[in-house]
Amino acid sequence: MRRYHGIIFAYHARPELRELTSARTAASLPFCGRYRLIDFPLSSLRNAGILNVGVIMQRDYQSLLDHIGSGKAWDMSRKNGGLRMLPPFGLPEYHNGNYNGTIEALNAVSTYVRGMEEEWIVLMMGSLCANIDLQAVIRQHEKSGADATAVCADHTPMGIHHRYILGEDGFVKKIALYREGESEGYPSLECYIMRRSMLVEMMDRCRAENLYLFHRDAMNLFLRDGGKMEIYIHRGYADVIKTVEQYYRASMDMLKAENRRQMFPAGRPVRTKEHEEVSTYYGEHAVARNSLIADNCIIEGEVENCILFSGVRIEAGAKLHDCIIMRNSIVGKGVELEYVIADKNVSFAPGVKLTGNPKLPTVVPKGTEI
Amino acid sequence: MGTITSLWDANMDMLSTTLINLYDPNWPINSRSPICPPHYTGEKAEIVHSIVTEGCEIDGHVENSVLAPSVRVEEGAQVIYSVLMPGAVVGKDAVVEYAIIGENTVIEAGAHVGAAPDGTEDWGVATCGPDIRIRSGAQVPAAAMIYTGGEV
């Protein structure tokens, strides 16, 4: 795919994700027992043969840098091109690296965008929880001859999202911003193929007019100028994770085989940073039902409807249900947890009981000892 | 190594928490793992005193066994004192006991492979595969070795 260059926006740790993102961006949220959200857009690009990818970061990007490294896991560690991590550009005109919007972020790395050789750019959000068949999107895009293609979901997502309303010619005529629930048009997954020259033009105009939001400003400019945008409907599991509730729901959705089939199809594997680890051991009284369990765990208690990341210890007599327990956390003897999200390196002393709520799971921050 | 039984024995030793400390951080064990999602345990899964790893899908009963990546154990199936190699599939209500099942071998529904030790000299660990298909309802006795590509 020599004519396409990827850009992933791994910025915006939104406050709605609470303690889960106090030390990381949404894109580096651990997901499904082994991955981080950014593995999905990275793998989608890689599976379409797009290996030249820039990752625009904002703040709190330490864990992202640590996870992605040189991009080797996605075959993006190359002598020519490959992965470029783009840390925040700290000039005052870019709010000292605290970008207010996607267009501002792009303008901050404008040298990078202008320096690309490719004609087309694929733009994706780092917190896009979907396995997109970008080869199919590109095929449709090239056939349509449109200036841009927007990837949409085939179902209305949980939280606030934008929607595209089509005109009679089949192209997008209008964007409806910040919708909730069902309404006219198709829900956006904030994933685009766009002509690079057009994007650069949009960036220039926005900067000149002090505009910085991609959908509200840039896309509306594009449409007003008569830009032709097609939509591609992604059939399969998809959401852009912005809140704890969405994160929890998306995680629990992975417990259903059909969703896993859509997120991890055989032909489009999801790659992640390699961790060579020991297999998981189940003890004499272990119970594990409807759960996803990573390697290097020791299960001696009971887990139901849970996601356990690697290195988790569930001691005898512990009972968990509907929980997400991240790396290296320890659940002591007789502990009872319901609707809890425990970040990494948390430990629950024997006998502790903690109950959350499916709509508002209790988030236990990294390193907490209870 | 050297014999089938010693391969089986060595795998079973991995279940002993005293014999070898796999979790010692000073002795990392390096090996290439295929990229698969974490293993999934179903509503009816029962796993006791066993080792399971990534890519597995367990809906049946697994006891005293060692499973490699991407092994599938269907509902009602029983895997007891056995070693399952990558990609092995144990079908609905099948029984695999005291056996080694090779890579990508499929044990179809209701088949029975291997048998518990009966004290006789003829007893041994049953072995199947790789890439073998054991047909529905087939009975593979203890110490049997099913290797040639094909079906039983």
Side-chain angles (χ1 to χ4, degrees):
Chain A
M1 278 297 162
R2 304 186 136 268
R3 295 160 55 229
Y4 291 80
H5 195 117
I7 291 189
I8 296 179
F9 296 96
Y11 79 109
H12 245 197
R14 291 166 187 264
E16 296 95 302
L17 281 160
R18 307 191 332 241
E19 300 93 330
L20 283 176
T21 48
S22 59
R24 55 161 85 89
T25 59
S28 58
L29 266 177
F31 186 73
C32 202
R34 182 162 174 188
Y35 305 93
R36 292 191 187 251
L37 285 180
I38 201 170
D39 292 337
F40 293 90
L42 274 170
S43 298
S44 299
L45 287 163
R46 190 237 163 241
N47 290 333
I50 300 171
L51 301 177
N52 292 339
V53 175
V55 178
I56 300 183
M57 305 182 290
Q58 189 185 25
R59 43 174 191 193
D60 307 333
Y61 54 90
Q62 182 68 29
S63 69
L64 199 66
L65 274 178
D66 184 63
H67 177 72
I68 297 184
S70 65
K72 191 168 140 201
W74 302 271
D75 296 334
M76 292 177 187
S77 173
R78 316 208 88 125
K79 192 168 170 188
N80 294 312
L83 184 87
R84 280 282 292 276
M85 300 298 279
L86 301 160
F89 207 72
L91 288 186
E93 56 252 48
Y94 301 121
H95 292 92
N96 293 320
N98 223 1
Y99 308 133
N100 273 343
T102 309
I103 284 294
E104 183 171 40
L106 282 167
N107 271 318
V109 302
S110 135
T111 321
Y112 175 74
V113 180
R114 281 165 214 280
M116 286 178 200
E117 288 172 355
E118 291 88 346
E119 187 188 347
W120 300 97
I121 297 192
V122 180
L123 300 148
M124 301 182 90
M125 293 302 289
S127 52
L128 171 63
C129 184
N131 189 324
I132 310 278
D133 184 351
L134 283 173
Q135 276 189 323
V137 181
I138 286 170
R139 268 197 304 272
Q140 183 194 292
H141 173 75
E142 291 185 348
K143 217 160 105 179
S144 73
D147 301 311
T149 291
V151 179
C152 296
D154 65 356
H155 56 278
T156 294
M158 200 197 297
I160 303 208
H161 57 280
H162 307 305
R163 296 181 84 94
Y164 297 108
I165 296 161
L166 300 186
E168 268 158 24
D169 55 1
F171 291 113
V172 174
K173 88 171 171 200
K174 205 170 94 156
I175 300 190
L177 298 169
Y178 307 110
R179 297 293 129 143
E180 208 168 345
E182 291 287 343
S183 64
E184 200 192 349
Y186 297 88
S188 162
L189 285 174
E190 301 185 38
C191 168
Y192 301 92
I193 296 182
M194 189 167 289
R195 203 186 290 280
R196 189 171 63 82
S197 56
M198 280 189 122
L199 180 65
V200 169
E201 212 181 286
M202 272 157 48
M203 284 160 57
D204 286 340
R205 285 172 67 181
C206 285
R207 189 177 53 209
E209 293 173 46
N210 208 18
L211 299 169
Y212 44 82
L213 291 179
F214 191 81
H215 293 90
R216 186 194 72 186
D217 306 323
M219 289 313 271
N220 270 318
L221 273 179
F222 172 87
L223 292 173
R224 253 189 289 141
D225 288 352
K228 298 231 169 308
M229 183 154 79
E230 271 255 308
I231 63 156
Y232 171 94
I233 299 178
H234 166 75
R235 305 221 174 262
Y237 194 85
D239 204 353
V240 180
I241 305 295
K242 296 176 186 162
T243 66
V244 172
E245 197 189 341
Q246 269 178 314
Y247 171 77
Y248 183 74
R249 176 95 326 270
S251 296
M252 290 300 149
D253 282 345
M254 292 301 108
L255 296 176
K256 299 201 185 74
E258 182 49 39
N259 292 332
R260 288 200 302 282
R261 264 194 286 279
Q262 292 167 11
M263 290 286 277
F264 304 100
R268 302 196 309 271
V270 179
R271 294 174 176 219
T272 186
K273 179 180 182 190
E274 277 184 16
H275 283 299
E276 278 117 17
E277 281 169 330
V278 171
S279 304
T280 283
Y281 170 74
Y282 287 79
E284 295 290 340
H285 304 288
V287 173
R289 300 250 157 84
N290 192 33
S291 293
L292 277 166
I293 297 172
D295 270 354
N296 200 10
C297 292
I298 298 183
I299 317 277
E300 285 169 322
E302 298 179 19
V303 304
E304 198 166 337
N305 310 327
C306 289
I307 298 181
L308 304 187
F309 284 72
S310 87
V312 166
R313 305 276 179 267
I314 309 287
E315 292 184 8
K319 291 201 210 308
L320 285 69
H321 71 76
D322 296 282
C323 294
I324 299 173
I325 311 290
M326 296 194 193
R327 256 179 108 92
N328 298 330
S329 290
I330 300 176
V331 179
K333 287 186 168 36
V335 168
E336 287 176 23
L337 302 175
E338 321 180 9
Y339 306 106
V340 169
I341 301 176
D343 210 317
K344 293 187 195 180
N345 299 313
V346 165
S347 70
F348 295 93
V352 162
K353 296 195 208 313
L354 191 62
T355 306
N357 180 280
K359 283 264 168 200
L360 195 69
T362 302
V363 177
V364 183
K366 255 193 239 201
T368 309
E369 286 175 14
I370 299 191
Chain B
M1 280 307 124
T3 69
I4 298 291
T5 314
S6 59
L7 170 65
W8 182 86
D9 273 336
N11 270 284
M12 289 296 135
D13 284 344
M14 293 291 114
L15 294 172
S16 157
T17 44
T18 50
L19 204 64
I20 176 172
N21 186 5
L22 294 168
Y23 303 99
D24 187 345
N26 296 319
W27 282 73
I29 297 173
N30 294 317
S31 74
R32 294 231 95 206
S33 319
I35 304 266
C36 328
H39 67 268
Y40 174 75
T41 58
E43 298 280 353
K44 306 255 173 71
E46 288 170 355
I47 309 176
V48 163
H49 199 43
S50 293
I51 285 175
V52 182
T53 187
E54 297 187 328
C56 289
E57 299 238 345
I58 313 292
D59 287 296
H61 177 96
V62 176
E63 193 186 312
N64 278 285
S65 295
V66 177
L67 272 46
S70 301
V71 164
R72 184 145 170 54
V73 176
E74 293 186 5
E75 209 176 305
Q78 298 193 55
V79 175
I80 298 168
Y81 276 100
S82 294
V83 177
L84 270 46
M85 297 295 175
V89 176
V90 182
K92 234 166 138 55
D93 301 320
V95 176
V96 172
E97 48 180 346
Y98 297 87
I100 301 178
I101 306 297
E103 264 190 70
N104 300 316
T105 285
V106 176
I107 314 291
E108 287 188 0
H112 192 128
V113 176
D118 54 5
T120 67
E121 273 200 6
D122 298 330
W123 182 83
V125 169
T127 49
C128 291
D131 300 307
I132 293 284
R133 179 171 280 272
I134 306 291
R135 285 257 169 246
S136 197
Q139 306 272 323
V140 175
M145 293 196 199
I146 317 287
Y147 277 103
T148 49
E151 303 161 1
V152 165

